Amino acid sequence: MTDDIRWEVVEESSLSLPDHEAIAALLAQAFPDWSHWYVGGRSWSGMQPERRVLARDQDGVVLAHVGIRRMFITVGGRDVLVGDTGLVAVSPRLQGSGKGRELMERTHAVLDGLAVPYGFLGAGENRIPFYAKLGWHEFPEVVGTFSAFTAEGAGITNTEQGGWMVRPVAAALEDWPAGAIWLNGQEV
């Protein structure tokens, strides 16, 4: 089954309703605690991605997904352009098969193609080692603030320490500014 996987990079505006439904189905499986977000054609939970990396089987079932959006965030009082990366998911039946690594390698190629200074993502504590092995750097003491929208649309300010990760793309990690992160909006 894994030999029949078709990888693609798609722009958000080229996705059809069935595409969004297929992505939402994967995200509901991958994030069962948040499955109430991913119903029907709702294939995002915060900021809608600009580009997506998808893996599909021969029937069009989405087996792996990541969303990326270019945006400015404020770090230590300085605006920084990033490729905000999120909604990283691999079908539970393929976890441990190397498809997550392949998904992130393809994600890195998209970030490189966008020529953003940095890739940026917020990761749960149990996912940090996976991303770190792939070149992402965590800032464990850094506090990040963002708008966390509920499934009903109400926005609330959320602040979290740790789990903020950066991957150098067109800039050096040493040039990442020190200080708190302010997203002034949602995460992908």
Side-chain angles (χ1 to χ4, degrees):
M1 177 201 45
T2 60
D3 297 326
D4 295 329
I5 291 178
R6 177 177 44 97
W7 290 93
E8 60 187 328
V9 176
V10 294
E11 293 184 357
E12 190 69 11
S13 60
S14 69
L15 293 170
S16 66
L17 179 57
D19 291 330
H20 283 289
E21 291 169 341
I23 294 166
L26 168 67
L27 295 175
Q29 287 177 16
F31 305 109
D33 292 345
W34 299 94
S35 61
H36 62 283
W37 283 80
Y38 309 113
V39 294
R42 184 180 169 88
S43 64
W44 62 94
S45 58
M47 182 75 70
Q48 202 167 353
E50 167 185 359
R51 293 214 170 92
R52 298 184 191 237
V53 179
L54 302 173
R56 297 180 195 253
D57 69 12
Q58 64 277 8
D59 296 321
V61 174
V62 176
L63 302 172
H65 173 274
V66 69
I68 302 165
R69 182 173 195 91
R70 287 173 283 196
M71 64 185 281
F72 281 94
I73 62 174
T74 304
V75 183
R78 188 173 130 204
D79 286 343
V80 179
L81 178 63
V82 298
D84 188 30
T85 303
L87 301 170
V88 180
V90 173
S91 171
R93 69 179 190 237
L94 290 180
Q95 290 177 3
S97 71
K99 294 303 171 194
R101 173 178 288 280
E102 187 172 357
L103 174 65
M104 292 310 294
E105 288 169 354
R106 291 172 182 276
T107 299
H108 296 165
V110 172
L111 291 168
D112 291 343
L114 293 172
V116 292
Y118 304 97
F120 177 80
L121 64 83
E125 187 176 327
N126 60 341
R127 301 286 186 248
I128 292 170
F130 169 76
Y131 294 117
K133 287 180 194 172
L134 298 172
W136 293 79
H137 177 81
E138 183 199 13
F139 295 95
E141 302 303 318
V142 170
V143 172
T145 303
F146 58 97
S147 294
F149 284 83
T150 67
E152 295 76 35
I156 56 172
T157 301
N158 195 9
T159 300
E160 295 180 1
Q161 179 177 334
W164 301 110
M165 301 191 80
V166 169
R167 178 186 175 270
V169 178
L173 183 61
E174 297 77 32
D175 295 331
W176 180 260
I181 297 170
W182 180 261
L183 273 76
N184 195 27
Q186 307 164 32
E187 291 182 272
V188 167

